[in-house]
Amino acid sequence: MKILVVLGGLALVALIVISQSLYVVDVTEQVIITRFGNPQSVTSNPGLYVKAPFVDTVLRFDKRVLRIDAPAVSMPDIEKQNMTIDSYARYRIVDPLQFFKTLQTENTARTRLGDIVTSSLRDEIARSSRTEIIGAERVLDENDVPVIDEDGLPIIEPSESRTELLENVFEATKKRVEEGKFGVAIIDVRMKRADFSDRVQDSIYNRMRAERNRIATRFRSKGEEENLKIRAKANKQREIILAEAERTGSEVRGRGEAEAIRILADALNRDPEFFAFRRSLESYQKFLNQRTTVILSSEADLFKFLQEPPGQTGSTKQ
């Protein structure tokens, strides 16, 4: 019985010793073996390895791409207007031993590298305008006036300014990390968002309103100018049409009056006595009525048709 207990104890001790002597390196990991806090070896290849039991400690670091989410920070641009920038970066541990000596843990790395990313981004934001930070710009015409769409809004096109800004931030961050000898490689730096701070929103909105009013005023002035041009052109055409109509009417009236005079003259030449008789009748119709009193000589030409019709001889008047 005692032998079984001893053998069981020995097996337990052997199991503990073996578990403390062996360690597994995953394909996504790289391992540093430390002895009393001092690095002893670095293992990057996956597999089963042996270490000194109880005195050696296994520190595991990720071989994959890691992410740093920097906190949102208010940064002034070139116009001294604050913008809230939210950024992130990606990095990889390329030298785990150096990483352990300088940063030790991934939490410390996120803090230190996040500060470097924020500092590089702050320097670049301070040299850039808001349109460059946002990565969009207005479309301008040949007079440097914003082009407006059918809804009255300025046309915005994406630009390469934000890409260039982030490339500059990436190069600055990469250089600082290399100078710090952290054992990491910066892979990428990006901005998640860039917003105006609450303190400058009112001024931004006022500038937007002023811009819209300026655009509206320009539209109204152009419309008024077009209105005057159209009215002037219409008035000119109206005057031309009226003048031509008046000229045509005068010509037609002149030809009509000439034709009437010709017809009248022709009729007069054909029977002058009948014409005189007709004119006399028209005269009688105009002035002879119950309220008219006319004193004329009996020899007046006006009464010759009342006394004796023309062409009638004295023998027939009985």
Short mmCIF file of all heavy atoms in Angstrom, two decimals, residues 106-165:
data_model
loop_
_atom_site.label_atom_id
_atom_site.label_comp_id
_atom_site.label_asym_id
_atom_site.label_seq_id
_atom_site.Cartn_x
_atom_site.Cartn_y
_atom_site.Cartn_z
N GLU A 106 1.23 44.31 -24.21
CA GLU A 106 0.46 44.90 -25.31
C GLU A 106 -0.37 46.09 -24.83
O GLU A 106 -0.62 47.03 -25.60
CB GLU A 106 -0.44 43.84 -25.94
CG GLU A 106 0.33 42.74 -26.66
CD GLU A 106 -0.59 41.72 -27.29
OE1 GLU A 106 -1.83 41.93 -27.25
OE2 GLU A 106 -0.10 40.70 -27.82
N ASN A 107 -0.79 46.09 -23.58
CA ASN A 107 -1.53 47.24 -23.05
C ASN A 107 -0.65 48.49 -23.02
O ASN A 107 -1.09 49.59 -23.40
CB ASN A 107 -2.05 46.94 -21.65
CG ASN A 107 -3.17 45.91 -21.66
OD1 ASN A 107 -3.89 45.80 -22.65
ND2 ASN A 107 -3.31 45.16 -20.57
N THR A 108 0.58 48.31 -22.58
CA THR A 108 1.52 49.43 -22.60
C THR A 108 1.80 49.88 -24.02
O THR A 108 1.91 51.09 -24.29
CB THR A 108 2.83 49.03 -21.90
OG1 THR A 108 2.56 48.55 -20.59
CG2 THR A 108 3.78 50.21 -21.82
N ALA A 109 1.89 48.93 -24.93
CA ALA A 109 2.14 49.27 -26.34
C ALA A 109 0.99 50.09 -26.91
O ALA A 109 1.22 51.06 -27.65
CB ALA A 109 2.34 47.99 -27.15
N ARG A 110 -0.26 49.73 -26.60
CA ARG A 110 -1.40 50.49 -27.09
C ARG A 110 -1.37 51.93 -26.60
O ARG A 110 -1.67 52.86 -27.34
CB ARG A 110 -2.70 49.80 -26.69
CG ARG A 110 -3.05 48.60 -27.55
CD ARG A 110 -4.49 48.16 -27.29
NE ARG A 110 -4.61 47.55 -25.97
CZ ARG A 110 -4.46 46.26 -25.73
NH1 ARG A 110 -4.17 45.43 -26.72
NH2 ARG A 110 -4.60 45.76 -24.51
N THR A 111 -0.96 52.10 -25.35
CA THR A 111 -0.91 53.46 -24.79
C THR A 111 0.20 54.28 -25.43
O THR A 111 -0.02 55.42 -25.88
CB THR A 111 -0.72 53.39 -23.27
OG1 THR A 111 -1.78 52.65 -22.68
CG2 THR A 111 -0.69 54.79 -22.67
N ARG A 112 1.42 53.72 -25.46
CA ARG A 112 2.57 54.45 -26.00
C ARG A 112 2.40 54.74 -27.49
O ARG A 112 2.60 55.87 -27.96
CB ARG A 112 3.85 53.64 -25.77
CG ARG A 112 4.26 53.51 -24.30
CD ARG A 112 4.91 54.79 -23.78
NE ARG A 112 6.08 55.13 -24.54
CZ ARG A 112 7.31 54.64 -24.32
NH1 ARG A 112 7.48 53.75 -23.34
NH2 ARG A 112 8.34 55.03 -25.03
N LEU A 113 2.03 53.73 -28.23
CA LEU A 113 1.89 53.91 -29.68
C LEU A 113 0.69 54.82 -30.00
O LEU A 113 0.74 55.59 -30.96
CB LEU A 113 1.73 52.56 -30.36
CG LEU A 113 2.91 51.60 -30.24
CD1 LEU A 113 2.61 50.29 -30.94
CD2 LEU A 113 4.18 52.23 -30.83
N GLY A 114 -0.36 54.72 -29.19
CA GLY A 114 -1.50 55.62 -29.40
C GLY A 114 -1.11 57.08 -29.22
O GLY A 114 -1.56 57.96 -29.96
N ASP A 115 -0.25 57.34 -28.23
CA ASP A 115 0.22 58.72 -28.02
C ASP A 115 1.05 59.19 -29.21
O ASP A 115 0.95 60.37 -29.61
CB ASP A 115 1.05 58.79 -26.73
CG ASP A 115 0.21 58.57 -25.49
OD1 ASP A 115 -1.02 58.73 -25.58
OD2 ASP A 115 0.79 58.22 -24.44
N ILE A 116 1.87 58.32 -29.75
CA ILE A 116 2.69 58.70 -30.90
C ILE A 116 1.81 58.99 -32.12
O ILE A 116 2.01 59.99 -32.85
CB ILE A 116 3.71 57.59 -31.22
CG1 ILE A 116 4.72 57.48 -30.09
CG2 ILE A 116 4.41 57.86 -32.54
CD1 ILE A 116 5.70 56.33 -30.24
N VAL A 117 0.80 58.15 -32.35
CA VAL A 117 -0.12 58.37 -33.47
C VAL A 117 -0.86 59.70 -33.30
O VAL A 117 -0.98 60.49 -34.24
CB VAL A 117 -1.11 57.20 -33.59
CG1 VAL A 117 -2.21 57.53 -34.59
CG2 VAL A 117 -0.40 55.93 -34.00
N THR A 118 -1.35 59.97 -32.10
CA THR A 118 -2.08 61.21 -31.84
C THR A 118 -1.18 62.43 -32.04
O THR A 118 -1.60 63.45 -32.61
CB THR A 118 -2.65 61.20 -30.41
OG1 THR A 118 -3.52 60.09 -30.26
CG2 THR A 118 -3.40 62.48 -30.12
N SER A 119 0.07 62.34 -31.58
CA SER A 119 1.01 63.46 -31.74
C SER A 119 1.32 63.72 -33.21
O SER A 119 1.32 64.88 -33.66
CB SER A 119 2.29 63.16 -30.97
OG SER A 119 3.24 64.19 -31.15
N SER A 120 1.56 62.67 -33.98
CA SER A 120 1.85 62.85 -35.41
C SER A 120 0.63 63.40 -36.14
O SER A 120 0.76 64.27 -37.02
CB SER A 120 2.27 61.51 -36.03
OG SER A 120 3.42 60.99 -35.39
N LEU A 121 -0.54 62.93 -35.76
CA LEU A 121 -1.76 63.41 -36.39
C LEU A 121 -2.03 64.86 -36.03
O LEU A 121 -2.46 65.66 -36.88
CB LEU A 121 -2.94 62.53 -35.95
CG LEU A 121 -4.28 62.75 -36.66
CD1 LEU A 121 -4.14 62.53 -38.15
CD2 LEU A 121 -5.33 61.82 -36.08
N ARG A 122 -1.74 65.24 -34.80
CA ARG A 122 -1.94 66.63 -34.38
C ARG A 122 -1.05 67.58 -35.18
O ARG A 122 -1.48 68.65 -35.60
CB ARG A 122 -1.66 66.76 -32.89
CG ARG A 122 -2.01 68.13 -32.31
CD ARG A 122 -1.51 68.24 -30.87
NE ARG A 122 -2.11 67.22 -30.03
CZ ARG A 122 -3.31 67.35 -29.46
NH1 ARG A 122 -4.00 68.47 -29.63
NH2 ARG A 122 -3.78 66.39 -28.69
N ASP A 123 0.20 67.18 -35.39
CA ASP A 123 1.12 68.03 -36.15
C ASP A 123 0.64 68.21 -37.59
O ASP A 123 0.72 69.31 -38.15
CB ASP A 123 2.52 67.40 -36.16
CG ASP A 123 3.15 67.39 -34.78
OD1 ASP A 123 2.70 68.17 -33.91
OD2 ASP A 123 4.09 66.60 -34.56
N GLU A 124 0.12 67.14 -38.19
CA GLU A 124 -0.33 67.23 -39.58
C GLU A 124 -1.65 68.00 -39.69
O GLU A 124 -1.85 68.75 -40.65
CB GLU A 124 -0.49 65.82 -40.16
CG GLU A 124 -0.60 65.78 -41.67
CD GLU A 124 0.66 66.27 -42.36
OE1 GLU A 124 1.75 66.14 -41.79
OE2 GLU A 124 0.52 66.80 -43.49
N ILE A 125 -2.54 67.82 -38.72
CA ILE A 125 -3.81 68.56 -38.74
C ILE A 125 -3.56 70.05 -38.63
O ILE A 125 -4.25 70.87 -39.25
CB ILE A 125 -4.72 68.06 -37.59
CG1 ILE A 125 -5.17 66.63 -37.85
CG2 ILE A 125 -5.93 68.98 -37.43
CD1 ILE A 125 -6.04 66.45 -39.05
N ALA A 126 -2.57 70.44 -37.82
CA ALA A 126 -2.28 71.86 -37.64
C ALA A 126 -1.79 72.52 -38.92
O ALA A 126 -1.83 73.75 -39.03
CB ALA A 126 -1.24 72.03 -36.53
N ARG A 127 -1.33 71.73 -39.90
CA ARG A 127 -0.86 72.29 -41.17
C ARG A 127 -1.88 72.14 -42.30
O ARG A 127 -1.58 72.45 -43.44
CB ARG A 127 0.44 71.59 -41.58
CG ARG A 127 1.61 71.85 -40.66
CD ARG A 127 2.90 71.37 -41.29
NE ARG A 127 2.92 69.91 -41.39
CZ ARG A 127 3.45 69.10 -40.49
NH1 ARG A 127 4.00 69.62 -39.39
NH2 ARG A 127 3.44 67.80 -40.64
N SER A 128 -3.08 71.66 -41.98
CA SER A 128 -4.07 71.34 -43.01
C SER A 128 -5.36 72.13 -42.78
O SER A 128 -5.69 72.50 -41.65
CB SER A 128 -4.38 69.84 -43.03
OG SER A 128 -3.20 69.08 -43.18
N SER A 129 -6.07 72.38 -43.87
CA SER A 129 -7.38 73.02 -43.79
C SER A 129 -8.45 71.96 -43.59
O SER A 129 -8.21 70.76 -43.72
CB SER A 129 -7.66 73.82 -45.06
OG SER A 129 -7.71 72.96 -46.19
N ARG A 130 -9.67 72.43 -43.33
CA ARG A 130 -10.76 71.49 -43.07
C ARG A 130 -11.11 70.66 -44.31
O ARG A 130 -11.42 69.48 -44.22
CB ARG A 130 -11.99 72.24 -42.58
CG ARG A 130 -11.89 72.64 -41.12
CD ARG A 130 -13.05 73.48 -40.70
NE ARG A 130 -13.04 74.77 -41.39
CZ ARG A 130 -13.90 75.75 -41.15
NH1 ARG A 130 -14.83 75.58 -40.26
NH2 ARG A 130 -13.83 76.89 -41.80
N THR A 131 -11.07 71.31 -45.49
CA THR A 131 -11.38 70.56 -46.71
C THR A 131 -10.34 69.48 -46.97
O THR A 131 -10.67 68.39 -47.44
CB THR A 131 -11.46 71.51 -47.90
OG1 THR A 131 -10.23 72.25 -48.00
CG2 THR A 131 -12.60 72.48 -47.73
N GLU A 132 -9.09 69.78 -46.63
CA GLU A 132 -8.04 68.76 -46.80
C GLU A 132 -8.20 67.64 -45.79
O GLU A 132 -7.94 66.47 -46.11
CB GLU A 132 -6.66 69.42 -46.64
CG GLU A 132 -6.32 70.40 -47.76
CD GLU A 132 -5.03 71.15 -47.48
OE1 GLU A 132 -4.60 71.19 -46.31
OE2 GLU A 132 -4.46 71.70 -48.43
N ILE A 133 -8.65 67.97 -44.59
CA ILE A 133 -8.84 66.95 -43.56
C ILE A 133 -10.02 66.04 -43.92
O ILE A 133 -9.95 64.82 -43.80
CB ILE A 133 -9.06 67.60 -42.19
CG1 ILE A 133 -7.80 68.40 -41.77
CG2 ILE A 133 -9.40 66.57 -41.13
CD1 ILE A 133 -8.01 69.28 -40.57
N ILE A 134 -11.10 66.65 -44.38
CA ILE A 134 -12.29 65.88 -44.73
C ILE A 134 -12.06 65.07 -45.99
O ILE A 134 -12.61 63.99 -46.16
CB ILE A 134 -13.50 66.82 -44.88
CG1 ILE A 134 -13.80 67.49 -43.52
CG2 ILE A 134 -14.72 66.07 -45.39
CD1 ILE A 134 -14.86 68.55 -43.60
N GLY A 135 -11.21 65.59 -46.89
CA GLY A 135 -10.94 64.86 -48.12
C GLY A 135 -11.96 65.11 -49.20
O GLY A 135 -12.24 64.24 -50.02
N ALA A 136 -12.53 66.32 -49.21
CA ALA A 136 -13.50 66.69 -50.25
C ALA A 136 -13.33 68.17 -50.55
O ALA A 136 -12.92 68.95 -49.69
CB ALA A 136 -14.92 66.39 -49.79
N GLU A 137 -13.64 68.55 -51.77
CA GLU A 137 -13.51 69.95 -52.18
C GLU A 137 -14.64 70.31 -53.13
O GLU A 137 -15.21 69.45 -53.81
CB GLU A 137 -12.16 70.20 -52.84
CG GLU A 137 -11.90 69.36 -54.06
CD GLU A 137 -10.52 69.57 -54.62
OE1 GLU A 137 -9.71 70.26 -53.98
OE2 GLU A 137 -10.24 69.04 -55.71
N ARG A 138 -14.94 71.60 -53.17
CA ARG A 138 -16.01 72.08 -54.05
C ARG A 138 -15.52 72.18 -55.49
O ARG A 138 -14.35 72.45 -55.74
CB ARG A 138 -16.50 73.45 -53.60
CG ARG A 138 -17.10 73.45 -52.19
CD ARG A 138 -17.52 74.83 -51.80
NE ARG A 138 -18.08 74.88 -50.46
CZ ARG A 138 -18.52 75.97 -49.88
NH1 ARG A 138 -18.45 77.12 -50.53
NH2 ARG A 138 -19.01 75.94 -48.67
N VAL A 139 -16.45 71.99 -56.39
CA VAL A 139 -16.16 72.16 -57.82
C VAL A 139 -16.35 73.63 -58.15
O VAL A 139 -17.42 74.21 -57.90
CB VAL A 139 -17.08 71.27 -58.68
CG1 VAL A 139 -16.78 71.49 -60.15
CG2 VAL A 139 -16.89 69.81 -58.31
N LEU A 140 -15.31 74.27 -58.71
CA LEU A 140 -15.35 75.69 -59.03
C LEU A 140 -15.38 75.87 -60.54
O LEU A 140 -14.85 75.06 -61.30
CB LEU A 140 -14.13 76.40 -58.45
CG LEU A 140 -13.91 76.26 -56.93
CD1 LEU A 140 -12.64 77.00 -56.51
CD2 LEU A 140 -15.11 76.78 -56.15
N ASP A 141 -16.03 76.97 -60.98
CA ASP A 141 -16.03 77.29 -62.40
C ASP A 141 -14.81 78.14 -62.73
O ASP A 141 -13.89 78.29 -61.92
CB ASP A 141 -17.33 78.00 -62.78
CG ASP A 141 -17.56 79.28 -61.96
OD1 ASP A 141 -16.59 79.75 -61.31
OD2 ASP A 141 -18.68 79.80 -61.97
N GLU A 142 -14.80 78.72 -63.94
CA GLU A 142 -13.63 79.47 -64.37
C GLU A 142 -13.43 80.75 -63.58
O GLU A 142 -12.35 81.33 -63.56
CB GLU A 142 -13.74 79.82 -65.86
CG GLU A 142 -14.93 80.67 -66.23
CD GLU A 142 -16.19 79.85 -66.45
OE1 GLU A 142 -16.13 78.63 -66.21
OE2 GLU A 142 -17.22 80.43 -66.86
N ASN A 143 -14.49 81.23 -62.88
CA ASN A 143 -14.40 82.43 -62.05
C ASN A 143 -14.20 82.11 -60.58
O ASN A 143 -14.42 82.97 -59.72
CB ASN A 143 -15.66 83.28 -62.23
CG ASN A 143 -15.85 83.75 -63.65
OD1 ASN A 143 -14.88 84.09 -64.33
ND2 ASN A 143 -17.09 83.77 -64.13
N ASP A 144 -13.82 80.85 -60.27
CA ASP A 144 -13.61 80.40 -58.90
C ASP A 144 -14.88 80.51 -58.06
O ASP A 144 -14.83 80.75 -56.84
CB ASP A 144 -12.47 81.19 -58.22
CG ASP A 144 -11.12 80.86 -58.83
OD1 ASP A 144 -10.98 79.75 -59.39
OD2 ASP A 144 -10.21 81.71 -58.78
N VAL A 145 -16.02 80.33 -58.70
CA VAL A 145 -17.31 80.35 -58.02
C VAL A 145 -17.79 78.90 -57.89
O VAL A 145 -17.72 78.15 -58.87
CB VAL A 145 -18.34 81.19 -58.78
CG1 VAL A 145 -19.70 81.13 -58.10
CG2 VAL A 145 -17.86 82.63 -58.88
N PRO A 146 -18.26 78.48 -56.71
CA PRO A 146 -18.73 77.09 -56.56
C PRO A 146 -19.84 76.75 -57.54
O PRO A 146 -20.77 77.53 -57.74
CB PRO A 146 -19.22 77.04 -55.11
CG PRO A 146 -18.49 78.15 -54.42
CD PRO A 146 -18.31 79.23 -55.44
N VAL A 147 -19.73 75.59 -58.16
CA VAL A 147 -20.75 75.11 -59.07
C VAL A 147 -21.89 74.52 -58.25
O VAL A 147 -21.67 73.75 -57.32
CB VAL A 147 -20.17 74.05 -60.04
CG1 VAL A 147 -21.26 73.54 -60.98
CG2 VAL A 147 -19.02 74.65 -60.84
N ILE A 148 -23.14 74.89 -58.60
CA ILE A 148 -24.31 74.50 -57.84
C ILE A 148 -25.10 73.45 -58.62
O ILE A 148 -25.23 73.54 -59.85
CB ILE A 148 -25.20 75.72 -57.54
CG1 ILE A 148 -24.37 76.84 -56.89
CG2 ILE A 148 -26.35 75.34 -56.63
CD1 ILE A 148 -23.71 76.44 -55.61
N ASP A 149 -25.62 72.45 -57.91
CA ASP A 149 -26.45 71.45 -58.57
C ASP A 149 -27.88 71.94 -58.67
O ASP A 149 -28.21 73.08 -58.32
CB ASP A 149 -26.36 70.10 -57.84
CG ASP A 149 -26.85 70.19 -56.40
OD1 ASP A 149 -27.46 71.21 -56.04
OD2 ASP A 149 -26.61 69.24 -55.64
N GLU A 150 -28.79 71.08 -59.15
CA GLU A 150 -30.18 71.46 -59.36
C GLU A 150 -30.92 71.73 -58.06
O GLU A 150 -31.96 72.40 -58.07
CB GLU A 150 -30.90 70.36 -60.13
CG GLU A 150 -30.88 69.00 -59.44
CD GLU A 150 -31.51 67.92 -60.26
OE1 GLU A 150 -31.85 68.18 -61.42
OE2 GLU A 150 -31.67 66.80 -59.74
N ASP A 151 -30.41 71.27 -56.95
CA ASP A 151 -31.03 71.53 -55.65
C ASP A 151 -30.48 72.77 -54.98
O ASP A 151 -30.85 73.07 -53.84
CB ASP A 151 -30.84 70.33 -54.72
CG ASP A 151 -31.53 69.08 -55.25
OD1 ASP A 151 -32.60 69.24 -55.88
OD2 ASP A 151 -31.02 67.97 -55.05
N GLY A 152 -29.59 73.48 -55.64
CA GLY A 152 -29.00 74.67 -55.06
C GLY A 152 -27.86 74.42 -54.11
O GLY A 152 -27.48 75.32 -53.36
N LEU A 153 -27.30 73.23 -54.12
CA LEU A 153 -26.21 72.87 -53.22
C LEU A 153 -24.91 72.81 -54.00
O LEU A 153 -24.90 72.42 -55.18
CB LEU A 153 -26.48 71.53 -52.55
CG LEU A 153 -27.74 71.46 -51.68
CD1 LEU A 153 -27.94 70.04 -51.17
CD2 LEU A 153 -27.67 72.43 -50.53
N PRO A 154 -23.80 73.20 -53.38
CA PRO A 154 -22.51 73.11 -54.08
C PRO A 154 -22.13 71.68 -54.36
O PRO A 154 -22.34 70.78 -53.54
CB PRO A 154 -21.53 73.79 -53.10
CG PRO A 154 -22.19 73.68 -51.76
CD PRO A 154 -23.67 73.75 -52.01
N ILE A 155 -21.56 71.45 -55.52
CA ILE A 155 -21.12 70.11 -55.90
C ILE A 155 -19.79 69.81 -55.22
O ILE A 155 -18.84 70.58 -55.31
CB ILE A 155 -21.00 70.00 -57.43
CG1 ILE A 155 -22.38 70.25 -58.08
CG2 ILE A 155 -20.47 68.64 -57.84
CD1 ILE A 155 -22.33 70.23 -59.59
N ILE A 156 -19.74 68.66 -54.54
CA ILE A 156 -18.55 68.25 -53.79
C ILE A 156 -17.98 67.01 -54.46
O ILE A 156 -18.70 66.07 -54.79
CB ILE A 156 -18.89 67.95 -52.32
CG1 ILE A 156 -19.57 69.17 -51.66
CG2 ILE A 156 -17.64 67.57 -51.55
CD1 ILE A 156 -18.72 70.39 -51.59
N GLU A 157 -16.68 67.04 -54.64
CA GLU A 157 -15.99 65.89 -55.21
C GLU A 157 -14.89 65.43 -54.25
O GLU A 157 -14.27 66.25 -53.56
CB GLU A 157 -15.36 66.23 -56.57
CG GLU A 157 -16.38 66.39 -57.68
CD GLU A 157 -15.71 66.57 -59.03
OE1 GLU A 157 -14.47 66.77 -59.04
OE2 GLU A 157 -16.42 66.52 -60.05
N PRO A 158 -14.67 64.12 -54.17
CA PRO A 158 -13.58 63.63 -53.30
C PRO A 158 -12.22 64.06 -53.84
O PRO A 158 -12.03 64.19 -55.05
CB PRO A 158 -13.76 62.11 -53.34
CG PRO A 158 -14.49 61.85 -54.61
CD PRO A 158 -15.38 63.03 -54.84
N SER A 159 -11.30 64.28 -52.93
CA SER A 159 -9.95 64.67 -53.31
C SER A 159 -8.95 63.73 -52.66
O SER A 159 -9.29 62.92 -51.79
CB SER A 159 -9.67 66.11 -52.89
OG SER A 159 -9.68 66.23 -51.47
N GLU A 160 -7.70 63.86 -53.07
CA GLU A 160 -6.63 63.03 -52.54
C GLU A 160 -5.95 63.66 -51.33
O GLU A 160 -4.97 63.12 -50.83
CB GLU A 160 -5.59 62.77 -53.62
CG GLU A 160 -6.12 62.04 -54.85
CD GLU A 160 -6.59 60.64 -54.51
OE1 GLU A 160 -6.02 60.05 -53.59
OE2 GLU A 160 -7.54 60.15 -55.15
N SER A 161 -6.49 64.79 -50.86
CA SER A 161 -5.82 65.50 -49.77
C SER A 161 -5.81 64.68 -48.48
O SER A 161 -4.80 64.66 -47.76
CB SER A 161 -6.52 66.85 -49.53
OG SER A 161 -7.89 66.65 -49.21
N ARG A 162 -6.91 63.99 -48.18
CA ARG A 162 -6.95 63.20 -46.95
C ARG A 162 -5.99 62.03 -47.04
O ARG A 162 -5.33 61.68 -46.04
CB ARG A 162 -8.37 62.73 -46.70
CG ARG A 162 -8.53 61.94 -45.39
CD ARG A 162 -9.97 61.87 -44.99
NE ARG A 162 -10.17 61.12 -43.77
CZ ARG A 162 -11.29 61.11 -43.06
NH1 ARG A 162 -12.30 61.85 -43.46
NH2 ARG A 162 -11.42 60.39 -41.96
N THR A 163 -5.91 61.41 -48.21
CA THR A 163 -4.97 60.31 -48.38
C THR A 163 -3.54 60.78 -48.18
O THR A 163 -2.73 60.12 -47.51
CB THR A 163 -5.14 59.69 -49.78
OG1 THR A 163 -6.49 59.24 -49.94
CG2 THR A 163 -4.20 58.53 -49.97
N GLU A 164 -3.21 61.95 -48.75
CA GLU A 164 -1.86 62.49 -48.57
C GLU A 164 -1.60 62.83 -47.11
O GLU A 164 -0.49 62.60 -46.60
CB GLU A 164 -1.70 63.73 -49.44
CG GLU A 164 -1.78 63.44 -50.95
CD GLU A 164 -1.73 64.69 -51.78
OE1 GLU A 164 -1.66 65.79 -51.17
OE2 GLU A 164 -1.77 64.59 -53.02
N LEU A 165 -2.62 63.38 -46.44
CA LEU A 165 -2.45 63.71 -45.01
C LEU A 165 -2.15 62.45 -44.20
O LEU A 165 -1.23 62.45 -43.36
CB LEU A 165 -3.72 64.40 -44.51
CG LEU A 165 -3.74 64.91 -43.07
CD1 LEU A 165 -4.61 66.15 -42.98
CD2 LEU A 165 -4.28 63.86 -42.09
#
